[in-house]
DNA sequence: CCACCAAATCTAATCGTTTAGCTGCGTTCG
DNA sequence: CGAACGCAGCTAAACGATTAGATTTGGTGG
């Protein structure tokens, strides 16, 4: 802390420029001098100050990750993958949680600018993304939108094909003979909510079916929410024979309802979901679900980001969409009643 | 980025000192001037550079969190709680994963110093903690050790009473009539591994029991590890009537073994664990386990850290130990055979 | 009416790096 | 032999904020 490049230079009997050259390997320094410098660095346990560096050439070696719900295991996993990715590039990861609140996102983006982070991966919060977008325009802060798409396609985005996910699961359920299929979806103003629901609708309509409105519920992607709305649906005497749950956290809530109501799956009802969470693998029965390649998605997002950091704004915006895979568990069976 | 305090000063027709005073509210500025400055700030969308600030008074507004396994849901939850806590204090959270490797921890700590983070919460990696400790001495970097204790008590620590956790679970199993109790523990050089195992031993010895060596296995806190060693134990014809699993991730692996071997819990065997993970709540049957107050622990760690940041090294090192709570699920029953 | 004081604002040094340009010196070649 | 050149290393000016101390201003009391 107290030791600066000057101290090193003095001890080694050279100029600060030479020390800098040695440290950054940015110019040739004769072996003897080089050795003296390195010895001095070691002796003083000198660490260059990133603050001073940042000040000089505007790069902070920081990448920010702003997720919409850090309590969601899906995003926890994204954090994990992102940390590994940025570490490989030599960056450090600053993590923020917008908690689905636009005002938090605003505050956070201001902070990101303040820290002069070199780039940011954002899971945009609902309808207020215009704001993020504006920041993007104004400041040319390299940015990748993650997981949810927004109207404006001028940003780099990494998303999943939500419609395909909904379709995939629904087709599977229909093939098993189900006709009374219900669903618990996420907020319909998010592509992760809307898209999955639309996929389900498409699949049903393609087979001449329409979901009964009383079997359709939407709400926040949270376990308690899922618990209470699933309970409403499942306590009906004419409950659906199958339920499509829009995300992993919600699926947990639904499984809890089944346990509490004494329903057995898949005997009494079939359950399938999208966006499973790590750890859910231990559920009995294993859930039939679509999975997204979280790690690949995260790596791709950071690849795009670093590329934009390096090459600037002359890169065309890129929109990468990942496809879901249907994973069969034991939570779905042929239609009963 | 391009707009500096000078630009603001010029536009407002004042000196940079005045702008600084207004922004930081650090000296009285007459209302009219103040207003002009604020207007200029708004017009230029000016954001102060944290890099310059850090350089000037050595504070970076960054707190680092170094966990030993970011893929573990326990630590994912710690990240979540920590982000919320540091945000409340006005800091940003830089997250690192040492992945249980001492050399990673070393590299990370160097980086933390480089960034001149104001403080760091570390989950120390195994036996190499001496190194972290040394860093601590040398540089007076405010630091709190989290989750695992180390020999040296000169650092602030926030830990859990692992021995109590092991004892609590084991006593419960013994009370149910179990005598042939096995265990899958974590690495014995970590207090989280050793302590829980010791607690189990204590509880058994207090009742005049000794665990059979063939029912005791230890290994890394990972699901696959637990899966394979649990399989070894459970395939024996004389398998134990109860198993104590040292952590949540491992418990998932064990439940998977049960499913694969067609064993039913608690009919065929009782399972209990420590350190449950979020989401595991959806398991059928619900696991009997000890839980730790993750959020309170994390908050406490950051309280200690911020306090040390503010008050410096004249604060005595504090060691806070949290007690586990036994949560009853349906995964344990009276002894069978 | 002037000297003096306090309050408001400004000037300029400073934090620790990087880096453009400069210096001095040994080679090379006409 | 001397001009020209290349090279290793140096000097000093940034980067953008904070802040001690200087300066201005207006008001007050003698």
């Amino acid at each position: 802390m107290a030791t600066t490049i000057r101290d090193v230079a003095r001890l080694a009997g050279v100029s600060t420029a030479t020390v800098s050259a040695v440290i950054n390997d940015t110019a040739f320094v004769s072996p003897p001098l080089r050795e003296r410098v390195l010895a001095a660095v070691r002796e003083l346990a000198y660490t260059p100050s990133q603050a001073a560096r940042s000040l000089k050439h505007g790069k902070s070696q920081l990448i920010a990750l702003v997720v919409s719900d850090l309590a969601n295991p899906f995003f926890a996993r994204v954090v994990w993958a992102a940390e590994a990715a940025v570490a490989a590039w030599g960056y450090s990861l600053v993590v923020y949680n917008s908690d689905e609140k636009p005002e938090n996102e605003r505050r956070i983006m201001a902070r990101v600018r303040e820290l002069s982070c070199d780039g940011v991966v954002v899971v945009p919060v609902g309808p207020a993304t215009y704001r993020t977008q504006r920041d993007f325009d104004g400041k040319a802060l390299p940015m990748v939108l993650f997981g949810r798409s927004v109207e404006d396609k001028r940003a780099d985005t990494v998303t999943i094909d939500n419609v395909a996910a909904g379709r995939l699961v629904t087709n599977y359920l229909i093939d098993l003979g189900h006709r009374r299929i219900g669903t618990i979806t996420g907020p319909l103003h998010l592509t992760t909510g809307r898209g999955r629901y639309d996929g389900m609708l498409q699949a049903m309509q393609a087979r001449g079916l329409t979901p009964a409105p009383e079997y359709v519920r939407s709400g926040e992607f949270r376990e308690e929410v899922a618990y209470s709305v699933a309970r409403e649906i499942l306590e009906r005497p004419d409950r659906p024979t199958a339920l499509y749950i829009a995300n992993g956290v919600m699926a947990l809530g639904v499984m809890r309802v089944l346990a509490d109501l004494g329903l057995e799956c898949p005997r009494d009802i079939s359950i399938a979901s999208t966006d499973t969470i790590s750890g859910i693998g231990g559920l009995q029965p294993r859930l039939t679900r679509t999975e997204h390649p979280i790690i690949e998605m995260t790596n791709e997002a950071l690849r795009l980001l670093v590329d934009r950091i390096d090459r600037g704004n002359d890169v065309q915006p890129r929109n990468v969409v990942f496809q879901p895979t249907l994973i069969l568990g034991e939570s779905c069976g042929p239609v009963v009643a």
Side-chain angles (χ1 to χ4, degrees), chain A:
Chain A
M1 192 89 83
T3 84
T4 78
I5 201 174
R6 282 198 147 69
D7 302 319
V8 176
R10 199 174 312 124
L11 180 57
V14 300
S15 75
T16 62
T18 303
V19 177
S20 179
V22 169
I23 288 173
N24 303 304
D25 203 25
T26 183
F28 181 85
V29 174
S30 66
L33 266 204
R34 170 181 207 78
E35 215 17 82
R36 288 220 315 269
V37 170
L38 290 176
V41 166
R42 249 174 285 125
E43 172 159 354
L44 299 174
Y46 166 72
T47 313
S49 144
Q50 180 62 51
R53 283 183 163 166
S54 302
L55 181 55
K56 198 77 221 315
H57 49 13
K59 298 280 144 204
S60 61
Q61 298 290 97
L62 254 31
I63 283 182
L65 172 64
V66 187
V67 303
S68 57
D69 181 10
L70 200 41
N72 183 332
F74 178 90
F75 291 118
R77 200 143 182 89
V78 170
V79 170
W80 170 68
E83 194 281 335
V86 307
W89 295 100
Y91 291 93
S92 293
L93 187 74
V94 190
V95 174
Y96 295 98
N97 183 9
S98 66
D99 214 14
E100 301 285 6
K101 306 222 179 64
E103 69 269 25
N104 284 346
E105 186 178 285
R106 272 235 313 281
R107 191 179 40 72
I108 290 169
M109 292 307 289
R111 190 95 187 89
V112 167
R113 272 181 48 192
E114 201 164 296
L115 288 177
S116 47
C117 291
D118 297 341
V120 56
V121 174
V122 188
V123 179
V125 166
T129 313
Y130 74 92
R131 172 64 199 160
T132 301
Q133 203 55 35
R134 216 190 311 157
D135 258 36
F136 178 67
D137 294 338
K139 286 295 163 177
L141 165 66
M143 170 155 93
V144 172
L145 265 27
F146 188 90
R148 300 167 178 176
S149 42
V150 291
E151 328 69 52
D152 192 336
K153 286 297 184 190
R154 281 177 306 165
D156 291 317
T157 60
V158 172
T159 52
I160 49 197
D161 189 338
N162 290 295
V163 178
R167 215 164 31 207
L168 213 50
V169 171
T170 310
N171 276 331
Y172 176 71
L173 292 173
I174 296 176
D175 287 345
L176 282 175
H178 293 280
R179 294 299 175 265
R180 285 213 316 280
I181 307 178
T183 186
I184 297 177
T185 82
L188 295 180
H189 61 85
L190 299 179
T191 51
T192 41
R194 185 80 231 173
R196 292 168 199 180
Y197 181 50
D198 284 349
M200 178 195 184
L201 289 183
Q202 283 179 19
M204 292 190 78
Q205 280 161 2
R207 308 285 197 101
L209 302 169
T210 30
E214 61 269 31
Y215 299 156
V216 174
R217 291 286 191 289
S218 71
E220 292 165 83
F221 280 132
R222 294 177 44 222
E223 186 179 342
E224 310 86 82
V225 172
Y227 182 91
S228 62
V229 302
R231 189 149 189 147
E232 281 175 31
I233 293 182
L234 294 175
E235 276 176 337
R236 305 174 64 94
D238 59 338
R239 61 163 188 266
T241 64
L243 263 187
Y244 168 45
I245 316 298
N247 97 340
V249 172
M250 289 182 130
L252 275 180
V254 173
M255 295 315 264
R256 208 148 50 81
V257 173
L258 295 190
D260 289 358
L261 292 184
L263 292 174
E264 207 167 284
C265 164
R267 201 196 53 197
D268 302 317
I269 188 167
S270 291
I271 302 284
S273 79
T274 280
D275 161 43
T276 193
I277 62 179
S278 79
I280 215 177
L283 273 175
Q284 287 298 346
R286 271 178 291 237
L287 212 52
T288 291
R289 71 234 178 233
T290 57
E291 287 199 345
H292 304 299
I294 303 187
I295 300 174
E296 288 80 357
M297 285 175 63
T298 308
N299 285 340
E300 179 66 14
L302 284 155
R303 231 179 42 70
L304 290 183
L305 185 64
V306 170
D307 187 54
R308 185 164 291 280
I309 290 172
D310 291 343
R311 316 214 341 245
N313 254 338
D314 43 71
V315 187
Q316 281 299 311
R318 288 151 299 185
N319 305 298
V320 182
V321 179
F322 281 81
Q323 290 302 320
T325 324
L326 185 68
I327 309 279
L328 298 184
E330 302 101 27
S331 66
C332 295
V335 64
V336 268

